[in-house]
Amino acid sequence: MDLTWSPEEEAFRRAAREWLAAHVPSPPLPSGDTRAGFAAHLAWERELFAARWSVVSWPEEYGGRGASLWEWLIFEEEYHRAGAPARVTQNGVFLLAPTLFRFGTAEQRARLLPRIAAAEDLWAQGWSEPEAGSDLAALRSRAVRADGGWRLTGHKTWTTRGAFCTHLFGLFRTGPQDARHRALTYFLVPLDAPGVTVRGFQRLDGDEGFAEVFLDDVFVPDADVLGEVGQGWTVAMATTGSERGLTLRSPGRFLHTAERLLELAREVGSGAHRDRVAQAWIDAQAYQWFTLEQVTAIAGGHEVGAEASLAKLFWSELDVRLHETAAELLGPEAELAGPWSKGFLFSLAGPIYAGTNEIQRNIVAERLLGLPRR
């Protein structure tokens, strides 16, 4: 693993750093999980696109710069170092788009990717259902064959920013219930289609970013089936690999949080939690090295599979440790509203979303360690 940046990569870093220094909003934007905050973030996302920084690793024909995976990591480091806003388009950019590149038809890629890059189509994830959260294969929402397409009926919940999005991607059952994951198909659904009802609701921190989506005989044409009919599980696993692995949670985010934690420790001036601060910072560096190793393997032709579960376990628990340590440093002040308290509440969701950590440990045990299923 050669970690020497080339002159071209160093130039890419300088260009990204300079642009971000000149354009990152100040003061920081309000939460993107509120309606007003979402609108402000959307304006930022479109400014990113206009400067061709929204999807740097995508081909130029879709709005990207054709940057390498290494350059994407460099951009992510600089993005978080600059304190740039969280990406409210992350479901489309980091989850759906990699799946479209792999399983989408040429027509789907040409139609959908430029609109994702430009923050024109805003995608919500339609995985969870009231009786099928982490057990995705148990979902009950159905799709029935119709002339020229499918009729979708069901109920999705916990859709992040679903109340503000324009489209939903998700799995629907196209075969018998007892076939579980072998009878699912991946659909792309416009949320303004007749028969769709979106109802927002509040999260633990009071933001209104969650929604549940009801589908009542919603027509979706064949052109909006992603991958083969009945092969939705395979397509979805590619999406969850992106969600659990490096594309959604690049190390730049945690390196930046670890640096903020160091600054906080210096400001507070207490040595009481010195070891924990040091360990949290070391863990963030370790996640970066793990990611660099993964990128090296991908560049060599390796396909990330169950290893994504290792990454998910690590970054989700690291995020909790970083914020717990900050809360201990702040003492009673940690109860006050602010970036650390907001980040702490959000970090608590990390071991749950993108597949609970209990599920990830099962995957690691069975697929990576070869342990028997109980």
Side-chain angles (χ1 to χ4, degrees):
M1 186 166 63
D2 182 3
L3 298 181
T4 304
W5 300 117
S6 69
E8 291 77 15
E9 289 163 341
E10 293 287 5
F12 183 87
R13 183 186 294 278
R14 283 195 300 276
R17 182 174 295 184
E18 289 171 4
W19 189 88
L20 289 163
H23 292 86
V24 167
S26 180
L29 301 180
S31 169
D33 291 313
T34 63
R35 189 167 292 279
F38 187 84
H41 279 253
L42 211 51
W44 162 249
E45 299 266 0
R46 289 170 178 162
E47 188 175 352
L48 272 179
F49 172 71
R52 295 178 51 241
W53 289 113
S54 68
V55 287
V56 296
S57 62
W58 293 15
E60 293 184 11
E61 65 184 293
Y62 300 128
R65 290 173 173 254
S68 69
L69 197 49
W70 296 107
E71 289 171 325
W72 174 77
L73 278 172
I74 289 171
F75 178 73
E76 286 288 300
E77 282 185 19
E78 294 301 323
Y79 191 88
H80 291 283
R81 185 203 301 268
R87 301 290 299 271
V88 296
T89 57
Q90 64 182 22
N91 283 337
V93 171
F94 298 130
L95 303 185
L96 177 59
T99 316
L100 280 168
F101 278 116
R102 181 172 173 183
F103 292 97
T105 64
E107 185 278 329
Q108 286 174 329
R109 291 194 293 271
R111 172 165 53 97
L112 299 173
L113 288 171
R115 295 183 63 81
I116 293 173
E120 293 176 356
D121 290 346
L122 308 168
W123 289 85
Q125 186 185 63
W127 286 163
S128 296
E129 297 187 2
E131 297 181 11
S134 292
D135 186 8
L136 191 59
L139 63 84
R140 295 180 179 276
S141 292
R142 299 194 61 83
V144 178
R145 207 70 178 93
D147 185 20
W150 298 80
R151 293 280 178 183
L152 274 51
T153 300
H155 178 192
K156 302 290 183 179
T157 191
W158 310 116
T159 52
T160 301
R161 303 188 189 98
F164 317 137
C165 288
T166 61
H167 291 71
L168 175 141
F169 60 86
L171 288 179
F172 291 80
R173 187 163 297 285
T174 48
Q177 187 71 34
D178 58 6
R180 289 182 59 80
H181 69 277
R182 294 182 297 277
L184 302 175
T185 300
Y186 199 115
F187 287 92
L188 308 172
V189 186
L191 290 176
D192 62 353
V196 175
T197 301
V198 179
R199 187 164 67 191
F201 60 93
Q202 288 186 340
R203 305 185 316 195
L204 172 67
D205 61 5
D207 285 356
E208 52 188 326
F210 277 161
E212 52 186 344
V213 180
F214 300 89
L215 302 105
D216 182 12
D217 198 31
V218 177
F219 178 76
V220 173
D222 287 324
D224 285 338
V225 173
L226 181 53
E228 300 292 327
V229 172
Q231 297 300 311
W233 184 262
T234 301
V235 183
M237 288 306 99
T239 303
T240 57
S242 297
E243 186 178 23
R244 295 165 186 166
L246 62 92
T247 55
L248 185 62
R249 290 290 177 261
S250 63
R253 167 181 166 163
F254 303 106
L255 291 171
H256 177 62
T257 305
E259 291 295 334
R260 287 174 52 221
L261 183 63
L262 282 180
E263 291 174 11
L264 179 65
R266 294 188 190 103
E267 290 171 10
V268 173
S270 169
H273 303 289
R274 183 172 53 190
D275 290 348
R276 290 197 61 182
V277 172
Q279 189 60 54
W281 186 87
I282 291 169
D283 289 347
Q285 308 300 314
Y287 181 59
Q288 181 190 35
W289 284 85
F290 174 79
T291 303
L292 294 173
E293 186 181 39
Q294 273 201 321
V295 171
T296 301
I298 292 170
H302 175 73
E303 187 172 316
V304 175
E307 294 100 322
S309 293
L310 282 175
K312 199 272 174 171
L313 282 166
F314 195 89
W315 63 248
S316 60
E317 294 178 359
L318 168 62
D319 205 22
V320 174
R321 288 198 299 277
L322 285 164
H323 286 89
E324 280 182 343
T325 306
E328 290 175 9
L329 285 168
L330 287 167
E333 189 181 335
E335 302 294 327
L336 302 176
W340 282 113
S341 61
K342 188 84 171 176
F344 176 68
L345 288 176
F346 185 77
S347 74
L348 297 178
I352 300 171
Y353 68 78
T356 66
N357 282 11
E358 288 78 7
I359 293 291
Q360 305 315 309
R361 286 191 165 84
N362 279 344
I363 293 172
V364 170
E366 294 169 8
R367 301 185 196 173
L368 293 181
L369 301 178
L371 298 178
R373 177 177 293 188
R374 294 183 63 185

